[in-house]
Amino acid sequence: MPAAIEATITDLTHDGKGVTRIDGKAVFVSGALLDERVLLRISKRHRHYDEAEVVELLQRSPHRVEPKCPHFGLCGGCTLQHLDAEVQIGMKQRVLADNFTRIGKVTPASWLPPLTDEPWGYRRKGRLSVRAVPKKGRVLVGFREEANPRLVADIRRCEVVHPVLGERIALLAELIDGMDAVADIPQIEFAAGDDTIALVFRHMNPLSERDQAALVAFGRQHGFAIYLQPGGHSSVHPLWPEHPRLAFTLPAGGGADDVELEFQPLDFVQVNAGMNRRMLARAMDLLDPQPSDRVLDLFCGLGNFTLPMARRVAEVAGVEGEHGLVERATENARRNGIANAHFHVANLFEDQRGAEWARQPWDKLLLDPPRAGADKLLDYLPHKATKRIVYVSCHPASLARDAGILVQRHGFRLTSAGVMDMFPHTAHVESIALFER
């Protein structure tokens, strides 16, 4: 075993690892914080950097806190529980600012105060890995290990998953351990609506009647809707109850003006329900929708922004690449009595300038792209009639790149920007920015 080395942490990486230098070579130290003095041990060597783990803390950071989860350090689901929450969000704001400066060569005229919400039990969507481990004599259900992503972390509960499920991780493991298909279930997807939590069991071979009965009994006892997935996404179907319903409500002015979005368990929805409501409110404040406005919502998904916005504007069009999401967005509009929202299927990573919706002069634009960003559509949008753009981002580097395009090529001003803590205790940076002519 390599000898322990004493070192001082001089920086943090964007994913929250401590940084030091040993013999001139950068070393990234899991579990170490800025300005801490540590004994570390090299765990992996690479050509240009090494990875290390803390053996002993010699001098603690004043911002270090006790992790709430007993599995912290083993489970890779969240890696910043040892860092004070205010410092976490400050670190994310610095990551965003650095990306704007370094990649986009832009700076916001003002910084928005960070958006935060409840930091525990927030995760309503995700995937749990499953693995039968004969050496342990049982089944493991959880997220992947931080140090070795090929392995499933040995956990009994999860503090960031919706508590109805997070408190029952061990029971899920016991359930699968008693099934005939114990070696044939590699993962369980979960999705929580306002009233129902769905569990989707991926299985590599047909389930026996005994196994199906066990899953139904588990669902009945704990209040879960049980789905089976024998193949790809299209194979997902409910086992119990016969017609489960997943839905969540979003504010759109209060009372009868609120909208309800139904969804399927593998659909994309924002992971953090509380933050999603706060994000929606901020997006509406920044976009400032007016009764006469025509708004284009790109990468619209189920209509998370489109349908609440439709209550406030003359017309809104949502564009999304996945047919199933567009079908459900259209149905959600119908069920909510919204007639001024229209949806289109289009691959926004391909040139769509010939599409009717792309040729129209929209007053305002909302973007919520995946990690790749929106640079492809910024070749032909926005039109000169568009005066205001709100950009919601899950990747600061792509936002910074696209901000540079909007400012330098299209003549917009980056009016304001800020981070949103969609994934507390992780290094994930979600952000929002306002651009004006």
Side-chain angles (χ1 to χ4, degrees):
M1 180 177 293
I5 303 170
E6 187 172 334
T8 298
I9 305 303
T10 57
D11 200 357
L12 284 179
T13 65
H14 286 179
D15 60 355
K17 289 184 173 64
V19 181
T20 189
R21 299 192 79 85
I22 297 174
D23 297 330
K25 189 178 185 181
V27 180
F28 303 137
V29 189
S30 295
L33 299 177
L34 182 64
D35 296 328
E36 289 189 329
R37 190 75 180 164
V38 303
L39 277 180
L40 61 84
R41 181 171 286 119
I42 304 296
S43 56
K44 292 182 182 178
R45 294 193 180 275
H46 304 272
R47 183 176 179 183
H48 298 295
Y49 68 93
D50 291 333
E51 298 177 58
E53 299 172 349
V54 174
V55 175
E56 183 181 348
L57 272 177
L58 303 177
Q59 180 179 323
R60 298 169 62 95
S61 164
H63 304 302
R64 178 177 285 273
V65 297
E66 190 66 26
K68 183 174 182 178
C69 177
H71 308 298
F72 177 75
L74 170 68
C75 176
C78 45
T79 57
L80 294 178
Q81 283 192 29
H82 61 317
L83 183 60
D84 178 80
E86 288 190 13
V87 180
Q88 285 186 36
I89 196 70
M91 183 182 79
K92 295 177 183 184
Q93 191 96 334
R94 288 192 297 275
V95 169
L96 180 61
D98 174 66
N99 277 270
F100 275 138
T101 301
R102 181 170 49 86
I103 299 173
K105 306 295 189 292
V106 293
T107 303
S110 65
W111 285 101
L112 299 166
L115 275 187
T116 60
D117 199 69
E118 171 57 49
W120 303 106
Y122 66 84
R123 194 176 183 101
R124 67 172 173 183
K125 190 83 165 62
R127 175 184 295 171
L128 297 169
S129 295
V130 180
R131 186 173 183 180
V133 183
K135 289 183 179 180
K136 291 181 178 286
R138 58 189 176 86
V139 168
L140 304 184
V141 174
F143 297 107
R144 296 288 175 168
E145 287 190 5
E146 180 182 358
N148 190 346
R150 292 176 299 176
L151 300 180
V152 179
D154 188 357
I155 68 175
R156 311 298 290 176
R157 59 183 288 134
C158 179
E159 300 293 346
V160 297
V161 168
H162 190 298
V164 172
L165 175 60
E167 295 170 2
R168 291 171 170 81
I169 300 294
L171 295 179
L172 261 180
E174 291 174 10
L175 167 69
I176 296 172
D177 201 13
M179 292 173 61
D180 299 327
V182 61
D184 293 329
I185 298 177
Q187 67 190 42
I188 305 168
E189 303 253 6
F190 63 91
D194 289 345
D195 302 314
T196 304
I197 298 178
L199 301 180
V200 182
F201 290 81
R202 176 78 173 96
H203 55 98
M204 309 306 291
N205 292 297
L207 297 182
S208 65
E209 291 185 6
R210 174 179 172 274
D211 282 356
Q212 293 188 47
L215 291 173
V216 169
F218 186 84
R220 286 180 183 276
Q221 181 179 358
H222 300 288
F224 295 118
I226 305 297
Y227 289 74
L228 300 181
Q229 184 186 357
H233 279 209
S234 62
S235 72
V236 174
H237 62 279
L239 176 65
W240 184 88
E242 186 177 355
H243 299 293
R245 183 173 182 269
L246 290 170
F248 59 92
T249 301
L250 291 173
D257 287 336
D258 291 351
V259 298
E260 184 184 61
L261 275 64
E262 286 192 3
F263 66 101
Q264 294 299 311
L266 297 192
D267 285 347
F268 172 81
V269 296
Q270 295 292 347
V271 161
N272 189 324
M275 271 303 305
N276 187 43
R277 295 186 184 96
R278 290 179 178 269
M279 177 176 69
L280 173 62
R282 174 157 289 181
M284 293 303 101
D285 286 344
L286 295 176
L287 198 64
D288 188 29
Q290 298 298 313
S292 61
D293 282 341
R294 300 179 69 249
V295 182
L296 181 62
D297 180 9
L298 299 172
F299 307 96
C300 68
L302 288 163
N304 189 65
F305 294 105
T306 327
L307 297 182
M309 191 161 30
R311 301 286 199 202
R312 309 188 188 191
V313 301
E315 181 185 359
V316 58
V319 186
E320 166 61 44
E322 188 177 328
H323 287 260
L325 291 177
V326 170
E327 289 175 1
R328 284 182 279 286
T330 302
E331 179 60 20
N332 281 326
R334 185 197 65 77
R335 287 192 312 100
N336 284 278
I338 294 173
N340 63 333
H342 310 284
F343 295 92
H344 308 272
V345 178
N347 183 347
L348 294 174
F349 296 105
E350 296 178 352
D351 192 331
Q352 299 290 340
R353 73 186 74 211
E356 182 182 355
W357 57 263
R359 298 196 304 267
Q360 296 182 38
W362 303 97
D363 300 306
K364 294 171 181 175
L365 187 63
L366 190 144
L367 298 166
D368 185 12
R371 288 176 61 85
D375 59 325
K376 297 294 187 293
L377 62 85
L378 294 181
D379 283 341
Y380 54 94
L381 289 175
H383 292 307
K384 294 188 182 300
T386 303
K387 302 302 182 186
R388 182 173 290 219
I389 297 172
V390 169
Y391 192 130
V392 177
S393 169
C394 62
H395 191 52
S398 58
L399 170 59
R401 178 202 63 207
D402 293 349
I405 295 172
L406 285 168
V407 170
Q408 295 149 21
R409 188 189 307 172
H410 292 287
F412 280 83
R413 173 174 179 254
L414 177 53
T415 305
S416 58
V419 293
M420 305 178 291
D421 207 10
M422 186 68 73
F423 295 83
H425 313 300
T426 78
H428 181 89
V429 180
E430 193 99 5
S431 53
I432 191 167
L434 170 64
F435 299 86
E436 294 180 292
R437 288 283 186 189

